[in-house]
Amino acid sequence: MLNTPLGEIEIYIDGRAVAYEEYPLSYDETCPDLSGRYRINIDFVPDGASHSIACLIKGHISNDSDCVESGERLECKGFYSGTVKVSIGMEGDRGCGGRKSVSGYDYENEYLDNGVEYVILPFTKTRRYVFGIAWIEGAEGERDVQTWFGADVTEPQIIE
């Protein structure tokens, strides 16, 4: 299990907790001050039915500081407690309305009070779902944005 300052990261498929492996990611010029940066890959074979794959922070209680931080091909949500910030990112284009999105994604993304979720649709063919998790202690001023860069799952490099 991956532990962040806000709680353990848990992965659920259709509401059932599943085991996973986390992979440490390198830090670059966009996020040099991070305290942690990881990637979680979840392989799932679609079967023509609807499913969900959620990445949650166990025990996190939503507050007014938590916020959606989406970007191009990146759906991301930031979670706060004091000066600690954890961001969870996933690849996608929210709001395709149950059909293939303009960007080509065949699944949906949802934001939850304590995490994020991939929504697998009856026509989904995608088999790998990736979550990026990054956190920083002392999330004041411009340092705050580093978790957004750190949670970007579109091209992060795994440390070998």
Side-chain angles (χ1 to χ4, degrees):
M1 287 268 164
L2 178 60
N3 287 302
T4 76
L6 300 188
E8 286 182 25
I9 297 295
E10 297 182 317
I11 303 292
Y12 289 85
I13 296 178
D14 295 334
R16 296 173 54 134
V18 298
Y20 65 87
E21 289 187 42
E22 69 273 359
Y23 302 94
L25 298 176
S26 59
Y27 299 68
D28 61 26
E29 68 277 355
T30 65
C31 55
D33 302 317
L34 291 180
S35 303
R37 184 179 189 211
Y38 292 85
R39 176 182 180 129
I40 297 171
N41 301 327
I42 301 297
D43 292 319
F44 181 83
V45 178
D47 61 5
S50 297
H51 297 280
S52 65
I53 303 173
C55 179
L56 308 176
I57 303 172
K58 181 180 180 179
H60 178 72
I61 298 171
S62 182
N63 62 66
D64 290 340
S65 297
D66 295 350
C67 59
V68 170
E69 306 175 308
S70 62
E72 187 174 336
R73 296 182 17 197
L74 173 65
E75 299 298 332
C76 186
K77 186 168 180 181
F79 302 91
Y80 291 85
S81 179
T83 62
V84 174
K85 179 184 178 191
V86 175
S87 289
I88 303 175
M90 56 186 167
E91 188 169 356
D93 185 14
R94 189 164 187 255
C96 69
R99 61 187 186 286
K100 196 167 189 174
S101 73
V102 174
S103 302
Y105 297 107
D106 61 357
Y107 52 81
E108 297 243 353
N109 305 94
E110 291 293 332
Y111 296 109
L112 309 172
D113 287 344
N114 63 335
V116 298
E117 177 178 69
Y118 286 103
V119 178
I120 288 84
L121 304 165
F123 58 84
T124 298
K125 302 292 184 223
T126 300
R127 292 174 171 250
R128 174 161 281 183
Y129 301 88
V130 180
F131 296 101
I133 296 98
W135 64 89
I136 193 168
E137 297 177 38
E140 297 101 1
E142 293 181 17
R143 290 171 46 96
D144 181 86
V145 73
Q146 290 185 46
T147 61
W148 183 84
F149 287 110
D152 186 350
V153 296
T154 59
E155 294 186 35
Q157 300 299 310
I158 295 173
I159 298 173
E160 298 295 332

